[in-house]
Amino acid sequence: MRILLVEDDAAQLEPLQAALSEVGHIVDGVQDGAIAQWMLTQREYDLLILDWLLPQVSGLKLCQQYRNMGKTSPVLMLTAKDAISDRISGLDAGADDYLVKPADVFELLARVRALGRRSPLWTGDTLHVETLTLNLQTMMLERSNPTELQHDVEQQTDRSVQLSTREFQFLEYLMRHPRQVLSRNQIEQALWEWGSEPESNAVTSLVRRVRQRLQTVGVAHWLETVYGMGYCLNPDVQP
């Protein structure tokens, strides 16, 4: 998932960002509420983690504004404010979960997984599109439709493959937007952290690598190149 992490204390921000990145998430970490406010108008996020007490714009205000924008991605409030009245205020502002600092990093990762599973595309720890299953814990891609098993055997193809972190992030993004043409710019914004500049051929190279992984499970043709527009994961395309 692409996550916006807003925490004004660098000593807490950096290890949390590292822990989230380690398990495959793409994390934009910022320390200022006003910067976060602007970033929310520039990019789409799958999850927000907000400290309450932030410079310029509070996490509570950010959450309220985000909901007023009509955005539905889960919001986790991560704050030292532990009174019952504070928890109620946070949830009433639109937060989906509330975790009091200091928080155990493993509990935070579990909360993030739980919030991610609220998407209708997710079942347990997996993401499904037609016959493809992407395991969010192991970064394993599997083809799970038993009706195609015989075809796979005949073609001597494996039905599962281990992905690298970047391959996993790209395929997760594609599977979250099936049958949708995604431009090169959208892919760069989704996969590269704020301020980083991908090399000119980075997306092309990544598409080639993911197509090879899809070939391993027999569905390379699903990853379409739409001339002049971008790329699309389309299970309706025939080989």
Side-chain angles (χ1 to χ4, degrees):
M1 291 189 291
R2 187 174 194 96
I3 297 174
L4 178 62
L5 171 62
V6 192
E7 165 61 63
D8 66 329
D9 185 351
Q12 298 187 50
L13 173 68
E14 293 173 3
L16 289 178
Q17 185 168 5
L20 289 163
S21 299
E22 181 70 20
V23 295
H25 299 299
I26 303 152
V27 186
D28 289 328
V30 295
Q31 297 177 256
D32 185 282
I35 295 175
Q37 186 181 48
W38 178 76
M39 291 172 71
L40 287 172
T41 67
Q42 302 299 309
R43 287 192 175 177
E44 296 293 331
Y45 289 94
D46 302 308
L47 174 69
L48 279 61
I49 302 176
L50 305 176
D51 188 10
W52 186 313
L53 301 175
L54 296 168
Q56 301 198 65
V57 181
S58 74
L60 190 71
K61 186 68 174 178
L62 281 174
C63 184
Q64 292 170 328
Q65 292 177 342
Y66 187 69
R67 294 300 183 219
N68 290 337
M69 292 164 63
K71 303 293 187 180
T72 58
S73 295
V75 176
L76 169 62
M77 293 293 297
L78 180 63
T79 174
K81 295 174 72 69
D82 59 354
I84 295 297
S85 58
D86 294 329
R87 296 171 189 244
I88 293 172
S89 296
L91 295 171
D92 284 347
D96 299 88
D97 198 1
Y98 196 101
L99 188 58
V100 176
K101 295 191 292 187
D104 182 272
V105 67
F106 295 105
E107 181 180 1
L108 174 69
L109 294 176
R111 300 277 187 121
V112 167
R113 290 196 296 272
L115 291 170
R117 288 195 293 266
R118 294 187 180 184
S119 166
L121 291 173
W122 297 69
T123 302
D125 289 326
T126 57
L127 177 63
H128 302 273
V129 172
E130 297 292 338
T131 58
L132 285 185
T133 300
L134 182 62
N135 190 301
L136 309 177
Q137 297 294 319
T138 64
M139 300 186 189
M140 287 288 294
L141 176 68
E142 297 182 347
R143 194 171 176 201
S144 58
N145 190 334
T147 63
E148 298 189 353
L149 180 59
Q150 185 58 40
H151 173 75
D152 290 342
V153 171
E154 292 172 353
Q155 297 298 314
Q156 297 183 334
T157 58
D158 295 330
R159 297 183 66 247
S160 65
V161 61
Q162 179 71 56
L163 304 178
S164 70
T165 298
R166 181 59 91 192
E167 292 163 356
F168 165 77
Q169 291 168 341
F170 182 37
L171 194 55
E172 178 193 359
Y173 182 54
L174 290 170
M175 292 177 73
R176 280 180 168 275
H177 303 85
R179 300 180 177 85
Q180 178 181 336
V181 178
L182 303 168
S183 70
R184 184 177 295 269
N185 184 57
Q186 285 176 302
I187 294 169
E188 290 178 349
Q189 287 200 2
L191 301 188
W192 274 265
E193 294 178 359
W194 196 279
S196 62
E197 289 291 334
E199 296 181 359
S200 58
N201 65 342
V203 172
T204 301
S205 174
L206 187 55
V207 167
R208 182 172 60 251
R209 286 161 48 198
V210 168
R211 191 169 274 143
Q212 289 172 346
R213 300 294 183 248
L214 291 170
Q215 178 62 50
T216 302
V217 296
V219 290
H221 55 283
W222 284 16
L223 182 46
E224 282 189 286
T225 299
V226 183
Y227 183 72
M229 297 180 65
Y231 302 94
C232 176
L233 184 70
N234 187 355
D236 300 327
V237 174
Q238 298 300 314

